Amino acid sequence: MALGQMLWAGYQLGVGNQSIQIAFVRKLHDAGLYGRDVMVERTLGEYPSYFYQGVAWLLRWFDLPGLYLVLHWLTGAGVMLGWAG
C-alpha cells in the first residue's frame, strides 16, 4: 500500500519541509558546509530532534536521494500499518 501511495501521489526530493531538512543533514554530515548561512547555523540547534543526526550518520553508507526515498516509503508503510491496525 505504501508503494501504491507513492505511485499515486508521487514523490519528489526537496519539496516542502525537506528543503530545510536537507541543509541540516548535509551540515551535520560535513561541518564545513553552510558556515556562512545564518539560517542553518542559528536554526539547526533549535530543533529538538535526533532525526537529522541519524540521517547524517546514515550518509556514510547511503546517498541522500536514495535514503530519503526509503525513509519516505517507510513512513508511508508505517502510516498504512497504523491505519490498518
Side-chain angles (χ1 to χ4, degrees), residues 57-71:
W57 181 74
L58 289 171
L59 285 180
R60 296 175 184 186
W61 301 285
F62 305 101
D63 68 321
L64 188 78
L67 186 56
Y68 260 80
L69 180 63
V70 169
L71 290 172

Side-chain angles (χ1 to χ4, degrees), residues 30-47:
D30 181 354
L33 296 176
Y34 302 101
R36 301 180 85 174
D37 189 312
V38 176
M39 187 281 302
V40 172
E41 290 293 323
R42 290 187 182 172
T43 309
L44 181 57
E46 300 298 320
Y47 274 74

Side-chain angles (χ1 to χ4, degrees), residues 1-4 6 8-9 11 20 29 35-36 45-47 49 54 59 61 67 70 73 75-76 80 83:
M1 289 181 72
L3 180 59
M6 287 176 64
W8 178 58
Y11 172 76
I20 185 71
H29 181 68
R36 301 180 85 174
E46 300 298 320
Y47 274 74
S49 172
L59 285 180
W61 301 285
L67 186 56
V70 169
W73 180 84
T75 300
M80 296 298 174
W83 178 72

